[in-house]
Amino acid sequence: MPDEKSFHMTPEEFRRHGHAVVDWIADYYERIESFPVLSQAAPGQIRASLPAHAPAKGEPFHVMLADIEKLILPGITHWQSPNFYAYFPCNASGAAILGDLLSSGLGVQGMLWATSPACTELESHVLDWLVEMLGLPEKFLSTNTGGGVIQDTASSASLCALLAARERATNFASNQRGCDGKLIAYTSTQAHSSIEKGVQIAGLGRENLRLIAVDENFAMRPDALAQQIREDRHAGLTPCFVCATVGTTSSNGIDPVPEIGKVCRQHNLWLHVDAAMSGTAAICPEFRKIHKGLELADSYCFNPHKWMFTNFDCDCFYVADRKALIQTLSVLPEYLRNKATESGAVFDYRDWQIPLGRRFRALKLWFVIRHYGVEGLQFHVRRHVELAQQFASWVRNDNRFELAAPAPLNLVCFRHKGGDDANQTLMDRLNRSGDLYLTHTRLNDRLTLRFCVGQTNTQARHVERAWERIQQEASRWTA
Ligand SMILES: Cc1ncc(COP(=O)(O)O)c(C=O)c1O
């Protein structure tokens, strides 16, 4: 019997085109520094270059690949360029890309243990490895009362933590009847916007999020937190959730988790610790102090997709008491019932996250950890911190510039002393030049430039060149 008519790629074609794609990616990394880091495309430019209608007939693969070069690259901001210092990094590596390719190839949807046992078990196992690698409290181990799960982003992790906090505080009544408008959440004025978004989504209401004042190092003030909780209780409200940040987005501020934890214990509040970027630093014993007090936390997250060479998306989310999370998020329709679930002997990660479906993300993380080893990861994290500290010392020694915040790890917040307009001009000129890319924030109501060293391939020569370019541009308009 001849095969039925098909438009699919044959395995042999896939092999050929796949090799071409891997070659293209390898070539891209070899020439990545020749592109302007920040895309210079104007709004609408990329769309205008695309055909108005989808093709009626399939096109040859080489034409599609050529269009990546011609139509897509002009609209790419090169996050994987070693000259990328903007936001926080979103770094990738060969091992992660290949692990992700295998995940696509297997095409697994791992919502239940039963829908691919390896997807669930590898994830639990690798996340347990990370507990040891980062020196996290043992209660976060899956072999203990807690466990880890991979979420798409820190935003989702914090939302899951908030939902579990909401249910624990109301004895699971909010799931049944909705929120009563009295639940209160707390975080600092410097916390990531995802906490505010989470509060909106979780139904607490934006007005029920308290933004607690910070000290001169942009760290949450535990006394102000305790005072606010007391006032809210006195007003008949129900405090339920605190999010502390280890490495704030604006300034790398590190909240005092031990003191915040004590306040949470005293008032029986859920403590979530968001270490989206900085958590990775704990792989080096000398930076592990950032996790002091974590034994008091109910949940914790960090993003290997920021600083652990694991391409987007990959957030590791840990809870101390998995039962609270599972009871919050579990709904069991008939069509998902199966013997393994009923036996209680397995994790079904659909109950640990918002969506039902899930990709096999643990593969890329497993590959990264095995490729680098703990030693390799420590080497690169240390190097990034050294380079950032070197940059901070150059800023300190140039009297036209000043540091705008302490630089405990790999983020340097600095500014030209010429004021907001001067800093805006400096940043715009540098970014327009394409030589490097950095972004800004406001600290103490002054425009501040952020320089984050965390891209996989950033080396000393890149950071030296970046500082030269910053000095050149500054000289141009201050001369
Ligand atoms: C401290 C912190 N939390 C949360 C986030 C949000 O990360 P995600 O994109 O993984 O939701 C960021 C992003 O930069 C962050 O810096």
Side-chain angles (χ1 to χ4, degrees):
M1 274 251 298
D3 279 352
E4 284 177 23
K5 176 176 172 173
S6 158
F7 290 84
H8 301 311
M9 210 179 258
T10 64
E12 200 38 51
E13 286 167 336
F14 176 79
R15 189 188 315 278
R16 199 158 27 90
H17 301 326
H19 287 164
V21 168
V22 170
D23 279 345
W24 188 92
I25 296 172
D27 290 344
Y28 171 66
Y29 279 94
E30 274 177 356
R31 64 198 167 113
I32 197 163
E33 289 181 57
S34 66
F35 299 107
V37 187
L38 175 65
S39 168
Q40 312 281 308
Q45 178 189 325
I46 304 302
R47 265 200 95 164
S49 69
L50 300 171
H53 303 286
K57 286 193 183 304
E59 300 179 61
F61 192 82
H62 71 271
V63 174
M64 285 146 59
L65 194 52
D67 279 350
I68 295 288
E69 192 80 29
K70 198 166 83 196
L71 306 180
I72 299 303
L73 274 188
I76 291 295
T77 288
H78 299 275
W79 284 73
Q80 304 312 320
S81 164
N83 300 311
F84 185 100
Y85 305 101
Y87 307 105
F88 277 152
C90 190
N91 64 25
S93 65
I97 295 166
L98 295 176
D100 214 18
L101 181 59
L102 284 164
S103 167
S104 294
L106 291 170
V108 156
Q109 203 279 53
M111 59 187 171
L112 301 168
W113 177 89
T115 60
S116 266
C119 180
T120 296
E121 294 193 16
L122 183 68
E123 188 161 326
S124 307
H125 200 72
V126 168
L127 270 79
D128 280 356
W129 276 2
L130 280 163
V131 168
E132 194 176 50
M133 288 165 66
L134 302 189
L136 303 178
E138 290 195 350
K139 64 183 179 180
F140 290 144
L141 287 170
S142 67
T143 48
N144 210 320
T145 52
V149 58
I150 300 180
Q151 303 275 343
D152 52 3
T153 59
S155 305
S156 296
S158 298
L159 175 59
C160 288
L162 177 57
L163 292 170
R166 184 191 76 184
E167 291 313 303
R168 194 176 76 174
T170 59
N171 204 16
F172 297 88
S174 317
N175 262 352
Q176 298 302 322
R177 296 194 287 273
C179 291
D180 61 2
K182 291 186 172 175
L183 290 166
I184 309 291
Y186 305 80
T187 197
S188 89
T189 56
Q190 300 297 304
H192 191 262
S193 56
S194 52
I195 306 305
E196 180 176 337
K197 195 172 187 177
V199 163
Q200 292 171 192
I201 297 169
L204 270 68
R206 173 66 192 79
E207 284 179 6
N208 291 330
L209 174 65
R210 307 282 187 253
L211 297 180
I212 304 299
V214 293
D215 64 15
E216 66 285 2
N217 293 327
F218 304 101
M220 192 197 290
R221 281 181 36 208
D223 60 322
L225 172 68
Q227 173 67 20
Q228 185 65 54
I229 293 171
R230 278 194 298 271
E231 281 173 25
D232 288 332
R233 280 219 193 286
H234 196 246
L237 301 170
T238 315
C240 72
F241 175 81
V242 176
C243 174
T245 312
V246 168
T248 58
T249 319
S250 268
S251 70
N252 224 174
I254 297 180
D255 288 343
V257 178
E259 290 76 14
I260 293 171
K262 263 184 228 148
V263 174
C264 291
R265 281 286 161 96
Q266 204 182 341
H267 294 275
N268 196 22
L269 268 64
W270 185 291
L271 174 59
H272 175 63
V273 176
D274 172 8
M277 212 259 321
S278 297
T280 293
I283 193 144
C284 302
E286 67 272 30
F287 303 135
R288 216 160 268 176
K289 55 182 183 278
I290 62 170
H291 282 157
K292 225 171 124 209
L294 210 51
E295 63 283 356
L296 298 171
D298 294 284
S299 55
Y300 167 83
C301 74
F302 84 103
N303 287 5
H305 75 226
K306 280 185 162 55
W307 197 17
M308 205 183 261
F309 315 109
T310 307
N311 53 305
F312 193 87
D313 50 358
C314 185
D315 166 275
C316 294
F317 175 51
Y318 290 94
V319 286
D321 171 17
R322 61 177 174 269
K323 279 199 197 126
L325 180 70
I326 293 170
Q327 197 177 338
T328 298
L329 296 178
S330 180
V331 178
L332 182 58
E334 182 56 36
Y335 45 80
L336 294 180
R337 283 187 193 279
N338 65 86
K339 280 208 176 90
T341 298
E342 272 154 33
S343 76
V346 300
F347 289 168
D348 291 322
Y349 275 135
R350 71 184 187 99
D351 294 333
W352 299 51
Q353 60 172 25
I354 309 290
L356 171 65
R358 58 201 326 275
R359 303 178 61 230
F360 196 171
R361 294 193 193 91
L363 267 184
K364 60 187 174 189
L365 192 51
W366 191 44
F367 270 30
V368 165
I369 295 170
R370 294 181 66 190
H371 169 80
Y372 287 92
V374 173
E375 202 179 284
L377 293 171
Q378 287 172 337
F379 174 86
H380 288 289
V381 166
R382 267 186 198 124
R383 192 72 189 119
H384 284 157
V385 176
E386 270 167 25
L387 293 175
Q389 296 304 317
Q390 175 74 75
F391 183 90
S393 76
W394 292 330
V395 171
R396 247 183 244 114
N397 293 327
D398 185 326
N399 60 15
R400 292 170 300 174
F401 290 91
E402 63 188 3
L403 290 177
L409 295 166
N410 62 336
L411 175 70
V412 182
C413 294
F414 71 107
R415 58 172 89 91
H416 191 279
K417 291 178 184 164
D420 285 5
D421 289 349
N423 283 290
Q424 186 72 51
T425 307
L426 178 60
M427 182 174 73
D428 290 346
R429 286 193 186 192
L430 288 165
N431 290 344
R432 239 191 341 259
S433 79
D435 294 339
L436 67 152
Y437 182 27
L438 75 174
T439 49
H440 77 284
T441 187
R442 287 195 89 78
L443 293 176
N444 295 326
D445 208 25
R446 292 164 71 191
L447 193 96
T448 302
L449 306 180
R450 296 169 71 268
F451 188 88
C452 187
V453 184
Q455 208 293 315
T456 310
N457 296 305
T458 299
Q459 297 181 13
R461 66 186 167 89
H462 301 107
V463 178
E464 283 159 17
R465 176 77 185 132
W467 178 236
E468 261 172 44
R469 290 289 295 112
I470 291 166
Q471 286 179 305
Q472 265 171 14
E473 286 300 340
S475 303
R476 222 165 263 177
W477 43 264
T478 50

